[in-house]
Amino acid sequence: MITISTENLIHTYSPGSPFEKTAVDGVSFTLTSGEVMGVIGHTGSGKSTLIRHLNGLLKPTSGTVKVDGEDIFAKGYKRGKLRSRVGLVFQYPEYQLFDETVEKDIAFGPRNMDCDDEEIKRRVVKAAEFAGLTEAELKASPFELSGGQKRRAALAGVLAMEPEALILDEPAAGLDPVSRRRIMLDILAFAKETNAAILLVSHSMEDIAAYTNKVAVMRDGKFVMQGETREIFSRVGELAEHGLSVPQVTRICTECGCEGTVLTVEEGAKALSDMLRGCAE
Ligand SMILES: Nc1ncnc2c1ncn2[C@@H]1O[C@H](COP(=O)(O)OP(=O)(O)O)[C@@H](O)[C@H]1O
Ligand SMILES: [Mg+2]
């Protein structure tokens, strides 16, 4: 069980210089085991800066980051352990693959955690399974893999640390639709089986709608909207004011006058057929 929270988190880059920039400006939220939280917002809104605080990589200019109620920047707090409890998958993580085989790359995290050989082996096998990597892919050099395979290898490297929280910065960006869906389903399967807390940064409204249960909308460093996913996507006009759209299926069903807010194509198909059936009666 893990709970991560921020309170009035502010991060200013290069304070006092001509390049001063407040990238995160008073963000408060709580994320706990079993939740999948989405963070959406345009490029430059502060998403990547925010999430780098959650495992202690960046220090707040002011405000707090707490894990299980403890301030992770308080004196004496052991932040070393946090790197494995809170797994951070960076944007384009495939650039961080470096070892001669995928297997060794995945083993890097558990090895750094001082796991013994048997435990490392177990974790690599388990992580590879979650990330859908085959035996042949494990033996391959990371540089021989396709884009989708590299992304899954990088994900497996973080999963091998068996994090209680998984923070993902655009995990599906740049992938084809099939790889995209696959990696999202892999992440969800991991979350479900381990009861991890997930924070998903994404540009894809479709992914956020389909896979999260709460959402924050970030703009100019602030959370301008925050709530349960279905409730947020029902506020179409407000999202538009922030320059954001809703999934196509949500928009079509709203325009057709379906009841409630539809989040996925499956829900849309049902809502539309129910409505048409109603018309026929
Ligand atoms: N290392 C840095 N130094 C100075 N400014 C930065 C740095 N990283 C990001 N920024 C600025 O902070 C703002 C937020 O960036 P970022 O957190 O990357 O947003 P997002 O992930 O939403 O695109 C942007 O204006 C960006 O230019
Ligand atoms: Mg970013």
Side-chain angles (χ1 to χ4, degrees):
M1 192 79 186
I2 191 165
T3 300
I4 302 175
S5 63
T6 69
E7 212 167 295
N8 208 13
L9 179 68
I10 296 178
H11 190 91
T12 304
Y13 287 113
S14 316
S17 84
F19 305 104
E20 180 171 309
K21 167 83 197 171
T22 296
V24 177
D25 194 5
V27 166
S28 305
F29 74 94
T30 300
L31 172 71
T32 194
S33 299
E35 289 183 324
V36 182
M37 174 175 172
V39 176
I40 53 183
H42 285 288
T43 302
S45 58
K47 306 179 299 295
S48 298
T49 304
L50 169 66
I51 62 173
R52 281 179 157 77
H53 288 81
L54 306 180
N55 73 347
L57 275 182
L58 273 184
K59 190 175 188 299
T61 305
S62 68
T64 51
V65 179
K66 288 182 180 169
V67 172
D68 298 334
E70 280 188 81
D71 184 342
I72 67 166
F73 291 98
K75 237 190 163 131
Y77 188 90
K78 291 192 173 59
R79 278 195 300 280
K81 270 215 163 76
L82 209 57
R83 301 280 156 87
S84 55
R85 285 192 75 200
V86 180
L88 218 159
V89 180
F90 292 98
Q91 209 165 356
Y92 300 107
E94 52 271 33
Y95 294 127
Q96 285 155 12
L97 297 169
F98 63 93
D99 226 316
E100 60 193 89
T101 66
V102 170
E103 190 170 30
K104 284 188 182 167
D105 219 300
I106 300 172
F108 179 79
R111 198 172 298 282
N112 262 353
M113 293 164 72
D114 289 330
C115 294
D116 62 32
D117 286 350
E118 201 178 320
E119 176 65 9
I120 292 171
K121 178 87 196 141
R122 186 193 67 75
R123 283 170 177 246
V124 170
V125 168
K126 187 83 192 151
E129 200 181 296
F130 271 126
L133 293 165
T134 63
E135 192 65 30
E137 286 164 345
L138 279 176
K139 299 289 179 220
S141 153
F143 307 103
E144 293 163 16
L145 304 181
S146 72
Q149 288 170 322
K150 274 187 200 164
R151 194 68 65 85
R152 280 185 280 116
L155 173 67
V158 175
L159 296 186
M161 293 192 282
E162 302 191 342
E164 292 165 77
L166 190 57
I167 317 284
L168 304 129
D169 201 348
E170 299 277 4
L175 299 181
D176 62 84
V178 174
S179 307
R180 172 176 203 102
R181 185 171 160 79
R182 214 176 136 180
I183 203 158
M184 287 310 308
L185 294 179
D186 287 342
I187 292 163
L188 289 184
F190 169 80
K192 197 153 186 214
E193 189 169 322
T194 66
N195 197 37
I198 307 284
L199 192 153
L200 173 67
V201 171
S202 178
H203 268 103
S204 162
M205 296 299 155
E206 272 74 16
D207 286 354
I208 294 285
Y211 304 126
T212 69
N213 41 50
K214 62 190 215 181
V215 179
V217 175
M218 206 166 181
R219 183 177 187 174
D220 294 336
K222 297 184 172 71
F223 274 7
V224 288
M225 293 172 80
Q226 197 173 178
E228 194 246 324
T229 303
R230 200 175 297 276
E231 190 260 326
I232 293 292
F233 281 113
S234 71
R235 291 151 70 184
V236 180
E238 217 178 314
L239 282 166
E241 278 170 30
H242 297 302
L244 298 168
S245 59
V246 296
Q248 208 171 20
V249 66
T250 308
R251 188 173 51 75
I252 291 168
C253 290
T254 307
E255 282 172 8
C256 289
C258 293
E259 235 175 89
T261 303
V262 157
L263 293 180
T264 62
V265 172
E266 288 74 16
E267 284 182 11
K270 184 170 181 311
L272 287 169
S273 81
D274 285 354
M275 200 183 66
L276 290 173
R277 206 168 293 125
C279 295
E281 275 164 10

